[in-house]
mmCIF file of all heavy atoms in Angstrom:
data_model
loop_
_atom_site.group_PDB
_atom_site.id
_atom_site.type_symbol
_atom_site.label_atom_id
_atom_site.label_comp_id
_atom_site.label_asym_id
_atom_site.label_seq_id
_atom_site.Cartn_x
_atom_site.Cartn_y
_atom_site.Cartn_z
ATOM 1 N N GLY A 1 21.322 19.892 -25.779
ATOM 2 C CA GLY A 1 22.486 19.140 -25.320
ATOM 3 C C GLY A 1 23.393 19.944 -24.403
ATOM 4 O O GLY A 1 24.527 19.521 -24.105
ATOM 5 N N ASP A 2 22.908 21.086 -23.858
ATOM 6 C CA ASP A 2 23.635 21.852 -22.921
ATOM 7 C C ASP A 2 23.287 21.479 -21.499
ATOM 8 O O ASP A 2 22.172 21.129 -21.195
ATOM 9 C CB ASP A 2 23.399 23.360 -23.164
ATOM 10 C CG ASP A 2 23.892 23.850 -24.482
ATOM 11 O OD1 ASP A 2 24.938 23.395 -24.954
ATOM 12 O OD2 ASP A 2 23.191 24.675 -25.128
ATOM 13 N N LEU A 3 24.270 21.554 -20.569
ATOM 14 C CA LEU A 3 24.026 21.248 -19.199
ATOM 15 C C LEU A 3 22.936 22.151 -18.628
ATOM 16 O O LEU A 3 22.904 23.357 -18.824
ATOM 17 C CB LEU A 3 25.339 21.430 -18.375
ATOM 18 C CG LEU A 3 25.221 21.248 -16.881
ATOM 19 C CD1 LEU A 3 24.969 19.777 -16.518
ATOM 20 C CD2 LEU A 3 26.488 21.777 -16.191
ATOM 21 N N THR A 4 22.009 21.560 -17.843
ATOM 22 C CA THR A 4 21.024 22.333 -17.140
ATOM 23 C C THR A 4 20.818 21.737 -15.762
ATOM 24 O O THR A 4 20.944 20.503 -15.554
ATOM 25 C CB THR A 4 19.687 22.332 -17.918
ATOM 26 O OG1 THR A 4 18.740 23.112 -17.180
ATOM 27 C CG2 THR A 4 19.123 20.909 -18.079
ATOM 28 N N THR A 5 20.520 22.607 -14.807
ATOM 29 C CA THR A 5 20.198 22.165 -13.440
ATOM 30 C C THR A 5 18.700 22.409 -13.156
ATOM 31 O O THR A 5 18.241 22.224 -12.040
ATOM 32 C CB THR A 5 21.012 22.895 -12.419
ATOM 33 O OG1 THR A 5 20.833 24.308 -12.544
ATOM 34 C CG2 THR A 5 22.522 22.592 -12.633
ATOM 35 N N VAL A 6 17.958 22.794 -14.163
ATOM 36 C CA VAL A 6 16.509 23.044 -14.028
ATOM 37 C C VAL A 6 15.773 21.777 -14.449
ATOM 38 O O VAL A 6 15.858 21.339 -15.615
ATOM 39 C CB VAL A 6 16.046 24.252 -14.890
ATOM 40 C CG1 VAL A 6 14.565 24.463 -14.726
ATOM 41 C CG2 VAL A 6 16.834 25.497 -14.473
ATOM 42 N N LEU A 7 15.056 21.163 -13.555
ATOM 43 C CA LEU A 7 14.369 19.900 -13.817
ATOM 44 C C LEU A 7 13.464 19.943 -15.042
ATOM 45 O O LEU A 7 13.410 19.043 -15.870
ATOM 46 C CB LEU A 7 13.597 19.430 -12.618
ATOM 47 C CG LEU A 7 14.464 19.022 -11.384
ATOM 48 C CD1 LEU A 7 13.562 18.600 -10.212
ATOM 49 C CD2 LEU A 7 15.363 17.876 -11.747
ATOM 50 N N GLU A 8 12.716 21.088 -15.138
ATOM 51 C CA GLU A 8 11.759 21.179 -16.254
ATOM 52 C C GLU A 8 12.466 21.208 -17.643
ATOM 53 O O GLU A 8 11.817 20.961 -18.652
ATOM 54 C CB GLU A 8 10.882 22.419 -16.080
ATOM 55 C CG GLU A 8 9.876 22.299 -14.951
ATOM 56 C CD GLU A 8 10.527 22.759 -13.626
ATOM 57 O OE1 GLU A 8 11.752 22.878 -13.557
ATOM 58 O OE2 GLU A 8 9.743 22.890 -12.662
ATOM 59 N N ARG A 9 13.755 21.603 -17.629
ATOM 60 C CA ARG A 9 14.477 21.675 -18.921
ATOM 61 C C ARG A 9 15.250 20.399 -19.231
ATOM 62 O O ARG A 9 15.836 20.274 -20.318
ATOM 63 C CB ARG A 9 15.430 22.874 -18.881
ATOM 64 C CG ARG A 9 14.732 24.240 -18.747
ATOM 65 C CD ARG A 9 15.719 25.360 -18.615
ATOM 66 N NE ARG A 9 15.086 26.657 -18.433
ATOM 67 C CZ ARG A 9 15.713 27.759 -18.153
ATOM 68 N NH1 ARG A 9 17.060 27.770 -18.059
ATOM 69 N NH2 ARG A 9 15.081 28.916 -17.974
ATOM 70 N N GLY A 10 15.327 19.487 -18.268
ATOM 71 C CA GLY A 10 16.093 18.280 -18.486
ATOM 72 C C GLY A 10 15.503 17.380 -19.533
ATOM 73 O O GLY A 10 14.343 16.979 -19.420
ATOM 74 N N ALA A 11 16.246 17.004 -20.555
ATOM 75 C CA ALA A 11 15.756 16.122 -21.618
ATOM 76 C C ALA A 11 16.367 14.751 -21.578
ATOM 77 O O ALA A 11 15.733 13.756 -21.839
ATOM 78 C CB ALA A 11 16.014 16.803 -22.972
ATOM 79 N N PHE A 12 17.703 14.682 -21.242
ATOM 80 C CA PHE A 12 18.372 13.398 -21.189
ATOM 81 C C PHE A 12 19.665 13.546 -20.404
ATOM 82 O O PHE A 12 20.201 14.665 -20.260
ATOM 83 C CB PHE A 12 18.682 12.902 -22.600
ATOM 84 C CG PHE A 12 19.483 13.881 -23.402
ATOM 85 C CD1 PHE A 12 20.876 13.862 -23.403
ATOM 86 C CD2 PHE A 12 18.839 14.799 -24.247
ATOM 87 C CE1 PHE A 12 21.612 14.772 -24.148
ATOM 88 C CE2 PHE A 12 19.578 15.712 -24.962
ATOM 89 C CZ PHE A 12 20.949 15.696 -24.916
ATOM 90 N N PRO A 13 20.204 12.473 -19.816
ATOM 91 C CA PRO A 13 21.447 12.595 -19.057
ATOM 92 C C PRO A 13 22.650 12.727 -19.993
ATOM 93 O O PRO A 13 22.750 12.041 -21.019
ATOM 94 C CB PRO A 13 21.493 11.267 -18.273
ATOM 95 C CG PRO A 13 20.709 10.301 -19.125
ATOM 96 C CD PRO A 13 19.611 11.121 -19.754
ATOM 97 N N LEU A 14 23.528 13.635 -19.659
ATOM 98 C CA LEU A 14 24.786 13.814 -20.373
ATOM 99 C C LEU A 14 25.835 12.873 -19.781
ATOM 100 O O LEU A 14 26.738 12.376 -20.490
ATOM 101 C CB LEU A 14 25.288 15.249 -20.243
ATOM 102 C CG LEU A 14 24.405 16.325 -20.819
ATOM 103 C CD1 LEU A 14 24.951 17.681 -20.468
ATOM 104 C CD2 LEU A 14 24.313 16.190 -22.359
ATOM 105 N N LYS A 15 25.706 12.581 -18.498
ATOM 106 C CA LYS A 15 26.680 11.766 -17.786
ATOM 107 C C LYS A 15 25.996 11.242 -16.516
ATOM 108 O O LYS A 15 25.297 11.962 -15.846
ATOM 109 C CB LYS A 15 27.913 12.633 -17.444
ATOM 110 C CG LYS A 15 28.852 11.998 -16.417
ATOM 111 C CD LYS A 15 29.847 13.070 -15.929
ATOM 112 C CE LYS A 15 30.669 12.577 -14.767
ATOM 113 N NZ LYS A 15 31.550 13.666 -14.253
ATOM 114 N N ASP A 16 26.287 10.011 -16.246
ATOM 115 C CA ASP A 16 25.864 9.439 -14.931
ATOM 116 C C ASP A 16 26.857 8.367 -14.545
ATOM 117 O O ASP A 16 26.761 7.214 -15.006
ATOM 118 C CB ASP A 16 24.454 8.900 -14.977
ATOM 119 C CG ASP A 16 23.913 8.614 -13.501
ATOM 120 O OD1 ASP A 16 24.755 8.610 -12.586
ATOM 121 O OD2 ASP A 16 22.691 8.460 -13.361
ATOM 122 N N ASN A 17 27.842 8.753 -13.786
ATOM 123 C CA ASN A 17 28.871 7.795 -13.330
ATOM 124 C C ASN A 17 28.848 7.647 -11.806
ATOM 125 O O ASN A 17 29.845 7.328 -11.193
ATOM 126 C CB ASN A 17 30.263 8.228 -13.794
ATOM 127 C CG ASN A 17 30.708 9.477 -13.128
ATOM 128 O OD1 ASN A 17 29.891 10.307 -12.669
ATOM 129 N ND2 ASN A 17 32.018 9.707 -13.058
ATOM 130 N N ARG A 18 27.651 7.884 -11.232
ATOM 131 C CA ARG A 18 27.546 7.718 -9.771
ATOM 132 C C ARG A 18 27.856 6.275 -9.426
ATOM 133 O O ARG A 18 27.431 5.338 -10.164
ATOM 134 C CB ARG A 18 26.136 8.051 -9.323
ATOM 135 C CG ARG A 18 25.859 9.574 -9.427
ATOM 136 C CD ARG A 18 24.402 9.921 -9.083
ATOM 137 N NE ARG A 18 23.505 9.367 -10.080
ATOM 138 C CZ ARG A 18 22.164 9.471 -9.996
ATOM 139 N NH1 ARG A 18 21.625 10.039 -8.955
ATOM 140 N NH2 ARG A 18 21.398 8.920 -10.940
ATOM 141 N N LEU A 19 28.549 6.060 -8.332
ATOM 142 C CA LEU A 19 28.940 4.718 -7.941
ATOM 143 C C LEU A 19 27.713 3.907 -7.601
ATOM 144 O O LEU A 19 26.843 4.351 -6.895
ATOM 145 C CB LEU A 19 29.863 4.771 -6.746
ATOM 146 C CG LEU A 19 31.242 5.424 -7.007
ATOM 147 C CD1 LEU A 19 32.042 5.522 -5.723
ATOM 148 C CD2 LEU A 19 32.035 4.619 -8.012
ATOM 149 N N VAL A 20 27.634 2.726 -8.208
ATOM 150 C CA VAL A 20 26.396 1.944 -8.096
ATOM 151 C C VAL A 20 26.477 1.009 -6.858
ATOM 152 O O VAL A 20 27.580 0.784 -6.316
ATOM 153 C CB VAL A 20 26.202 1.119 -9.371
ATOM 154 C CG1 VAL A 20 26.008 2.049 -10.552
ATOM 155 C CG2 VAL A 20 27.392 0.163 -9.633
ATOM 156 N N PRO A 21 25.368 0.410 -6.443
ATOM 157 C CA PRO A 21 25.413 -0.510 -5.315
ATOM 158 C C PRO A 21 26.164 -1.796 -5.713
ATOM 159 O O PRO A 21 26.188 -2.165 -6.836
ATOM 160 C CB PRO A 21 23.905 -0.799 -4.986
ATOM 161 C CG PRO A 21 23.185 0.302 -5.669
ATOM 162 C CD PRO A 21 24.000 0.713 -6.869
ATOM 163 N N ARG A 22 26.718 -2.418 -4.727
ATOM 164 C CA ARG A 22 27.401 -3.723 -4.952
ATOM 165 C C ARG A 22 26.371 -4.713 -5.514
ATOM 166 O O ARG A 22 25.262 -4.802 -5.015
ATOM 167 C CB ARG A 22 28.027 -4.231 -3.724
ATOM 168 C CG ARG A 22 28.816 -5.526 -3.885
ATOM 169 C CD ARG A 22 29.501 -5.925 -2.593
ATOM 170 N NE ARG A 22 30.465 -4.928 -2.134
ATOM 171 C CZ ARG A 22 31.103 -4.999 -0.989
ATOM 172 N NH1 ARG A 22 30.938 -6.047 -0.189
ATOM 173 N NH2 ARG A 22 31.969 -4.043 -0.631
ATOM 174 N N GLY A 23 26.745 -5.430 -6.575
ATOM 175 C CA GLY A 23 25.829 -6.347 -7.206
ATOM 176 C C GLY A 23 25.044 -5.797 -8.371
ATOM 177 O O GLY A 23 24.295 -6.498 -9.012
ATOM 178 N N PHE A 24 25.233 -4.462 -8.603
ATOM 179 C CA PHE A 24 24.437 -3.801 -9.706
ATOM 180 C C PHE A 24 24.929 -4.303 -11.022
ATOM 181 O O PHE A 24 26.148 -4.506 -11.276
ATOM 182 C CB PHE A 24 24.728 -2.336 -9.621
ATOM 183 C CG PHE A 24 24.000 -1.479 -10.647
ATOM 184 C CD1 PHE A 24 22.731 -0.989 -10.393
ATOM 185 C CD2 PHE A 24 24.582 -1.220 -11.858
ATOM 186 C CE1 PHE A 24 22.078 -0.221 -11.325
ATOM 187 C CE2 PHE A 24 23.935 -0.471 -12.815
ATOM 188 C CZ PHE A 24 22.684 0.043 -12.556
ATOM 189 N N ARG A 25 23.982 -4.566 -11.905
ATOM 190 C CA ARG A 25 24.282 -5.051 -13.292
ATOM 191 C C ARG A 25 23.449 -4.324 -14.302
ATOM 192 O O ARG A 25 22.292 -3.977 -14.049
ATOM 193 C CB ARG A 25 24.053 -6.572 -13.397
ATOM 194 C CG ARG A 25 24.936 -7.402 -12.481
ATOM 195 C CD ARG A 25 24.825 -8.898 -12.778
ATOM 196 N NE ARG A 25 23.414 -9.343 -12.695
ATOM 197 C CZ ARG A 25 22.969 -10.431 -13.283
ATOM 198 N NH1 ARG A 25 23.750 -11.175 -14.051
ATOM 199 N NH2 ARG A 25 21.686 -10.757 -13.121
ATOM 200 N N THR A 26 23.998 -4.172 -15.484
ATOM 201 C CA THR A 26 23.250 -3.500 -16.594
ATOM 202 C C THR A 26 22.107 -4.281 -17.132
ATOM 203 O O THR A 26 21.279 -3.790 -17.851
ATOM 204 C CB THR A 26 24.247 -3.112 -17.712
ATOM 205 O OG1 THR A 26 24.906 -4.310 -18.164
ATOM 206 C CG2 THR A 26 25.263 -2.083 -17.254
ATOM 207 N N VAL A 27 22.017 -5.576 -16.752
ATOM 208 C CA VAL A 27 20.909 -6.414 -17.230
ATOM 209 C C VAL A 27 19.778 -6.441 -16.236
ATOM 210 O O VAL A 27 18.811 -7.164 -16.418
ATOM 211 C CB VAL A 27 21.393 -7.848 -17.496
ATOM 212 C CG1 VAL A 27 22.399 -7.880 -18.676
ATOM 213 C CG2 VAL A 27 21.980 -8.483 -16.256
ATOM 214 N N ASP A 28 19.855 -5.603 -15.182
ATOM 215 C CA ASP A 28 18.788 -5.588 -14.205
ATOM 216 C C ASP A 28 17.504 -5.065 -14.878
ATOM 217 O O ASP A 28 17.527 -4.197 -15.754
ATOM 218 C CB ASP A 28 19.165 -4.608 -13.073
ATOM 219 C CG ASP A 28 18.209 -4.640 -11.907
ATOM 220 O OD1 ASP A 28 17.155 -3.961 -11.973
ATOM 221 O OD2 ASP A 28 18.475 -5.412 -10.942
ATOM 222 N N PRO A 29 16.329 -5.623 -14.478
ATOM 223 C CA PRO A 29 15.078 -5.186 -15.098
ATOM 224 C C PRO A 29 14.779 -3.695 -14.977
ATOM 225 O O PRO A 29 14.104 -3.146 -15.790
ATOM 226 C CB PRO A 29 14.015 -5.984 -14.337
ATOM 227 C CG PRO A 29 14.744 -7.199 -13.850
ATOM 228 C CD PRO A 29 16.163 -6.747 -13.547
ATOM 229 N N ALA A 30 15.339 -3.041 -13.914
ATOM 230 C CA ALA A 30 15.067 -1.597 -13.700
ATOM 231 C C ALA A 30 16.199 -0.741 -14.283
ATOM 232 O O ALA A 30 16.230 0.434 -14.000
ATOM 233 C CB ALA A 30 14.921 -1.322 -12.231
ATOM 234 N N TYR A 31 17.088 -1.340 -15.070
ATOM 235 C CA TYR A 31 18.260 -0.580 -15.576
ATOM 236 C C TYR A 31 17.861 0.605 -16.408
ATOM 237 O O TYR A 31 18.551 1.635 -16.433
ATOM 238 C CB TYR A 31 19.179 -1.493 -16.384
ATOM 239 C CG TYR A 31 20.422 -0.814 -16.902
ATOM 240 C CD1 TYR A 31 21.404 -0.331 -15.991
ATOM 241 C CD2 TYR A 31 20.596 -0.554 -18.239
ATOM 242 C CE1 TYR A 31 22.535 0.326 -16.474
ATOM 243 C CE2 TYR A 31 21.742 0.138 -18.703
ATOM 244 C CZ TYR A 31 22.723 0.559 -17.768
ATOM 245 O OH TYR A 31 23.772 1.202 -18.254
ATOM 246 N N ASP A 32 16.726 0.545 -17.080
ATOM 247 C CA ASP A 32 16.327 1.710 -17.933
ATOM 248 C C ASP A 32 16.095 2.981 -17.128
ATOM 249 O O ASP A 32 16.148 4.062 -17.714
ATOM 250 C CB ASP A 32 15.065 1.352 -18.724
ATOM 251 C CG ASP A 32 13.856 1.037 -17.843
ATOM 252 O OD1 ASP A 32 14.101 0.569 -16.725
ATOM 253 O OD2 ASP A 32 12.746 1.282 -18.284
ATOM 254 N N THR A 33 15.917 2.859 -15.827
ATOM 255 C CA THR A 33 15.718 4.045 -14.995
ATOM 256 C C THR A 33 16.929 4.344 -14.125
ATOM 257 O O THR A 33 16.936 5.348 -13.389
ATOM 258 C CB THR A 33 14.479 3.900 -14.093
ATOM 259 O OG1 THR A 33 14.691 2.776 -13.223
ATOM 260 C CG2 THR A 33 13.216 3.683 -14.886
ATOM 261 N N THR A 34 17.918 3.509 -14.155
ATOM 262 C CA THR A 34 19.119 3.691 -13.352
ATOM 263 C C THR A 34 20.357 3.508 -14.177
ATOM 264 O O THR A 34 21.327 2.889 -13.752
ATOM 265 C CB THR A 34 19.135 2.693 -12.179
ATOM 266 O OG1 THR A 34 19.031 1.384 -12.701
ATOM 267 C CG2 THR A 34 17.989 2.933 -11.227
ATOM 268 N N ARG A 35 20.385 4.012 -15.391
ATOM 269 C CA ARG A 35 21.441 3.725 -16.337
ATOM 270 C C ARG A 35 22.830 4.404 -15.972
ATOM 271 O O ARG A 35 22.799 5.504 -15.429
ATOM 272 C CB ARG A 35 21.050 4.176 -17.764
ATOM 273 C CG ARG A 35 19.919 3.391 -18.403
ATOM 274 C CD ARG A 35 19.699 3.797 -19.848
ATOM 275 N NE ARG A 35 19.290 5.224 -19.927
ATOM 276 C CZ ARG A 35 19.715 6.079 -20.812
ATOM 277 N NH1 ARG A 35 20.622 5.665 -21.707
ATOM 278 N NH2 ARG A 35 19.295 7.326 -20.816
ATOM 279 N N ILE A 36 23.869 3.707 -16.331
ATOM 280 C CA ILE A 36 25.192 4.341 -16.356
ATOM 281 C C ILE A 36 25.337 5.019 -17.712
ATOM 282 O O ILE A 36 25.067 4.410 -18.771
ATOM 283 C CB ILE A 36 26.305 3.258 -16.181
ATOM 284 C CG1 ILE A 36 26.130 2.559 -14.846
ATOM 285 C CG2 ILE A 36 27.673 3.908 -16.245
ATOM 286 C CD1 ILE A 36 26.990 1.308 -14.712
ATOM 287 N N VAL A 37 25.756 6.298 -17.703
ATOM 288 C CA VAL A 37 25.787 7.022 -18.935
ATOM 289 C C VAL A 37 27.170 7.664 -19.148
ATOM 290 O O VAL A 37 27.743 8.218 -18.190
ATOM 291 C CB VAL A 37 24.760 8.190 -18.923
ATOM 292 C CG1 VAL A 37 24.790 8.986 -20.206
ATOM 293 C CG2 VAL A 37 23.315 7.634 -18.730
ATOM 294 N N GLY A 38 27.695 7.550 -20.331
ATOM 295 C CA GLY A 38 28.949 8.184 -20.669
ATOM 296 C C GLY A 38 30.120 7.232 -20.639
ATOM 297 O O GLY A 38 29.948 5.999 -20.767
ATOM 298 N N ALA A 39 31.332 7.790 -20.414
ATOM 299 C CA ALA A 39 32.556 7.002 -20.537
ATOM 300 C C ALA A 39 32.660 5.935 -19.475
ATOM 301 O O ALA A 39 33.460 4.990 -19.606
ATOM 302 C CB ALA A 39 33.772 7.957 -20.481
ATOM 303 N N ALA A 40 31.910 6.017 -18.415
ATOM 304 C CA ALA A 40 31.995 4.999 -17.326
ATOM 305 C C ALA A 40 31.611 3.616 -17.869
ATOM 306 O O ALA A 40 32.090 2.628 -17.361
ATOM 307 C CB ALA A 40 31.120 5.379 -16.139
ATOM 308 N N LEU A 41 30.699 3.623 -18.881
ATOM 309 C CA LEU A 41 30.292 2.335 -19.424
ATOM 310 C C LEU A 41 31.464 1.567 -20.074
ATOM 311 O O LEU A 41 31.468 0.351 -20.111
ATOM 312 C CB LEU A 41 29.223 2.586 -20.498
ATOM 313 C CG LEU A 41 27.739 2.538 -20.010
ATOM 314 C CD1 LEU A 41 26.855 2.879 -21.185
ATOM 315 C CD2 LEU A 41 27.411 1.195 -19.424
ATOM 316 N N ALA A 42 32.432 2.317 -20.648
ATOM 317 C CA ALA A 42 33.550 1.679 -21.253
ATOM 318 C C ALA A 42 34.766 1.565 -20.323
ATOM 319 O O ALA A 42 35.826 1.073 -20.768
ATOM 320 C CB ALA A 42 33.970 2.498 -22.501
#
């Protein structure tokens, strides 16, 4: 659960609040690979 910048050590996202494209929705079929993670969801 510690931050890492090494790809081989990455297990899961701690945060992903990158601004999404206009029209982006969490019900999109590809959402499992482009998830919003963390407090941005709320």
